[in-house]
Amino acid sequence: MSGAGGSTSRHLLSAGDLSRDEALLVLDTAAELEQVLASSTVGKLPTLRGRTVVNLFFEDSTRTKTSFELAAKRLSADVISFAAKGSSVSKGESLKDTALTLEAMGADGIVIRHSWSGAPVNLAHHVRGAVVNAGDGTHEHPTQALLDAYTVRQRLGRLEGLRVTIVGDVLHSRVARSNVLLLHTLGAEVTLVAPPTLLPVGVETWPCAVSYDLDAVLPKSDVVMMLRVQRERMGVSYFPSSREYSRRYGLDVRRAAVLGDDAIVMHPGPMNRGIEIAPEVADGPRSTIVSQVANGVTVRMAVLYLLLGSAEPAIGVEVTRG
Ligand code: CP
């Protein structure tokens, strides 16, 4: 627990660190916060008054950065939003020194996005406050998986036994890894569908099935989660052309038509409209994309509350500082 022996604290670094009970606690807490906020006239809770959250973003973000900031403000925390561009990072200051500097100014929690897989784990070994992974390289994005699970449960009423198909650029996707780990913990059956070139080495050890045939998997899917083709992380060409990729792995109107009546379509954003998902599908009645963004604020409120709201954090993995 936080502060035990003066040398450990709790963090949210990987979706795989959450037990089933911890993951459900986050989802249930988010649902309660949503209800409380809906009946509040001020749209704010005093829960984290006097606490300081630092958003440390070394990589671009629209949804995650904004929603963590809103989440902290809705819990009455003080928020510092730090962008690496324009900071002393450009003078060569290390991640550790940057974080220790911000902590010296009173940060209780650090939300970090970084292009290095493992940067949040590294940081957790150096700081006293709680570290939340807001996306590290191609590794993990645990709060995205939590908000996705929240959205699925909100739309379909359950997670246990659901068949979830995750489609596309798994190789570069931290969202895919975190979703596979969390959905497995919560009892869903996950299938990854991708071209062989866009699957990571070792995917056979992940707790999911793998297919190369989207048309065969779609009719059996309760949830279809489309992944962004991450061109900025591709040094080489992983498929012949965007047109060919869309033809084999894109969710267009014809493909969406084979889904069951209640099946939903998700995308973490940002989208490449017309490549991995057709605009008509992204904006159609099955789409949960706007709800995912809205739920991101509530779920991140729950994460901050459970990590920072008391002396004994209710979730997260314990890391010893050294
Ligand atoms: N889904 C997601 O992480 O979006 P941003 O990159 O805009 O934060």
Side-chain angles (χ1 to χ4, degrees), residues 40-122:
S40 157
T41 48
V42 286
K44 259 179 117 159
L45 303 174
T47 324
L48 294 186
R49 188 168 289 153
R51 311 283 268 167
T52 300
V53 175
V54 174
N55 281 332
L56 199 51
F57 277 66
F58 292 86
E59 247 192 4
D60 294 343
S61 167
T62 298
R63 281 149 281 268
T64 312
K65 187 165 182 265
T66 313
S67 61
F68 264 115
E69 193 167 326
L70 262 177
K73 285 180 175 166
R74 286 189 183 161
L75 293 170
S76 302
D78 294 322
V79 186
I80 301 166
S81 283
F82 173 96
K85 205 173 167 187
S87 75
S88 287
V89 169
S90 62
K91 300 174 201 164
E93 188 161 39
S94 69
L95 171 63
K96 176 184 169 182
D97 286 338
T98 303
L100 289 176
T101 299
L102 294 166
E103 194 169 59
M105 294 181 206
D108 299 294
I110 297 177
V111 176
I112 177 170
R113 170 168 289 193
H114 206 290
S115 58
W116 300 342
S117 298
V121 176
N122 184 286

Side-chain angles (χ1 to χ4, degrees), residues 154-175:
Q154 189 181 57
R155 277 287 280 261
L156 300 180
R158 68 192 170 100
L159 288 152
E160 185 88 40
L162 285 182
R163 294 160 303 182
V164 181
T165 301
I166 302 178
V167 187
D169 184 1
V170 179
L171 180 65
H172 301 105
S173 178
R174 50 200 179 204
V175 173

